[in-house]
Amino acid sequence: MATTQVPGNGKQSGTTPPPSAQREQLASHDPATGEVVGTVPVMTADDVDAAVARARTAAATWSAMSYGEREAELARFRAGLAEACDDLAEVIARENGKPRVDAMTEVYMALSHLSHAARRAEKALKSHRVSPGLLANYRATISYHPLGVVGVIGPWNYPIFTPMGSIAYALAAGNTVVFKPSELTPLTGVKIAEIAARTLSIPDVFQVVTGAGATGAALARAAVDKIAFTGSAGTGKKVMQAAAERLTPVLMELGGKDPMIVTDDADVDKAAEAAVFGALTNSGQACISVERVYVHEAVYDRFVAKVVDEVRAVKVGGDDGNIGAMTSPAQVDIVRDHLTDAVARGAKVLAGGPDAISGNFIQPTVLVDVTADMKVMKDETFGPVIPIVKVASTEDAVRAANETTFGLGSSVFAGKKAKDIADRIRAGMTAVNSVMAFSAITSLPFGGVGESGFGRIHGDEGIREFTRTKATAEESFALPVNLLSFKLPKGTYERIRGLIKQLYGDGAVARAQDFLRRVF
Ligand code: NDP
């Protein structure tokens, strides 16, 4: 495939400014072959500020549109992306290293979120009245308003699906977006921006700024109204520090160390198949991939045997491969380090292992006899690795699953008690008798706790995340006594005192509260 030189064209909305002779270029590589797929300009802090200023201008028109008008605009954007799905899948597969079928699935999932957010925004952001309590002469209303300009910083593992989880919801809520893609997958970001520029009637509603970490840092410092960051916890902390300079609010979608629990009454074959897919899809480079498996001793042997069987059938690389190349040598080094550490501390390799790494390709690895102190059980591995632990009870499994600083996704394979167990896992999301399904259900909120971050994308919560909530108290009729005044009648102290006793003291409290609740 020919390499792509991204053309600069400052006049066209959504694309990068013209690369000057001095402008540094960034190359995107195919991790399977090392070939250069294309180059993009490295954008400076001035470029980022200029993009944000253009986005600010665009926001005035975009935010003033009706929901119906924005939905129609986003439908054209969606259709443009859909028409270009082959090109998108090609560029994603080449930059990221994943099989083309996975890239196409990712495009589908991104479009499903764009579609959902656009259709759902009006309902999710509908103003609504709430009880005014004792201020019965007031109309109390909650309404939601666009923030303005949202900066989105995305990772390389799902170059369209992951950022679209923020982009779609921010746009649908009436904001404009400046997107900084990972330096490993910039061409995907540029392609999305080109399509936005072609399909949206207002220039600069969606722009991309390309470059490495410094460009992301410039966006975090820029005059945006929110930063939606997806990436590692380490970089997330830097982004928060930079955003703190302007008190810019941040949404943090960070890493995970997702546990899977398999109980003694689980469908073992189904659980094993899910563990293999959940841990290996995208070569394990998914924030919600299965990273730790806790299996009840009663079904442990059967589960392990089935997992090893399934793993042996997984094909790595090639056109018909189930998983492709790891996206970067740096990520290969992390996985090698985790595997080497595990083996040195006594883990047993049942498939793959540290010696089964060749260039950017890692053979799926199954580890048993792993312990909580190993890196592979503590830190995010982000590779095709399945560490399995035998546990004596469901209690032990839940305890071990929660012994982590992360809390993104999780999964439970069990009989009748599955949902109860799921509720006890400290994580943003749990799939019950399944893996990862929550990320594909557009109306479910997505996000983590602890070192997995905070804030939510997807669903109604994801739309509201990109708004400011406004509380309005509107007097609907005047009372003879105005309590919000210094001109209080004599005896007000006693009356308020009486009210306190009646409402919140002992005795007639329950009756008084019931009465007030019924009235208001
Ligand atoms: P990084 O944290 O390395 O990078 C994320 C983004 O931040 C990239 O665009 C990167 O640019 C940019 N960046 C780097 N330095 C800075 C800086 N100082 N200021 C601002 N931006 C900066 O993460 P990865 O790209 O390696 O992504 C993998 C991580 O993302 C994993 O931990 C994974 O779990 C997490 N993730 C979380 C998801 C979630 O929804 N919770 C979903 C998907 C991934 P550049 O690449 O150019 O350096």
Side-chain angles (χ1 to χ4, degrees), residues 328-506:
S328 73
Q331 196 55 45
V332 174
D333 289 345
I334 293 171
V335 178
R336 183 186 286 108
D337 177 45
H338 283 202
L339 296 184
T340 309
D341 171 76
V343 170
R345 289 167 189 263
K348 199 161 139 203
V349 177
L350 299 186
D355 301 331
I357 298 176
S358 162
N360 284 343
F361 291 92
I362 301 181
Q363 289 300 321
T365 295
V366 181
L367 297 176
V368 291
D369 297 343
V370 285
T371 49
D373 58 332
M374 296 174 181
K375 289 182 184 175
V376 80
M377 294 301 285
K378 283 193 307 197
D379 304 333
E380 190 178 40
T381 305
F382 229 52
V385 180
I386 314 176
I388 309 174
V389 180
K390 189 196 285 188
V391 290
S393 67
T394 301
E395 285 307 309
D396 286 354
V398 171
R399 198 175 313 114
N402 286 337
E403 270 166 14
T404 174
T405 52
F406 293 101
L408 193 58
S410 51
S411 53
V412 175
F413 281 80
K416 276 199 215 94
K417 296 231 168 93
K419 175 67 169 59
D420 292 344
I421 299 167
D423 288 342
R424 290 164 56 207
I425 300 179
R426 185 183 163 275
M429 294 134 333
T430 304
V432 175
N433 291 322
S434 170
V435 277
M436 299 175 154
F438 41 76
S439 66
I441 299 176
T442 51
S443 39
L444 278 179
F446 185 103
V449 298
E451 290 215 18
S452 292
F454 48 83
R456 292 294 180 268
I457 53 173
H458 304 177
D460 288 0
E461 285 86 345
I463 300 173
R464 291 199 191 116
E465 186 75 44
F466 296 105
T467 61
R468 65 188 158 81
T469 304
K470 175 71 162 285
T472 310
E474 185 183 0
E475 193 185 58
S476 46
F477 59 91
L479 291 177
V481 179
N482 181 9
L483 286 175
L484 305 174
S485 156
F486 291 122
K487 295 172 196 149
L488 296 173
K490 278 214 166 91
T492 300
Y493 177 90
E494 286 72 24
R495 276 191 211 98
I496 294 175
R497 185 178 178 280
L499 197 61
I500 289 173
K501 297 278 182 185
Q502 202 180 4
L503 285 179
Y504 307 119
D506 287 335

Side-chain angles (χ1 to χ4, degrees), residues 154-156 180 182-183 212 216-217 229-232 235 253-255 287 380:
W156 44 261
K180 153 69 178 74
S182 165
E183 68 189 283
F229 173 81
T230 307
S232 60
T235 310
E253 293 290 346
L254 308 176
C287 54
E380 190 178 40

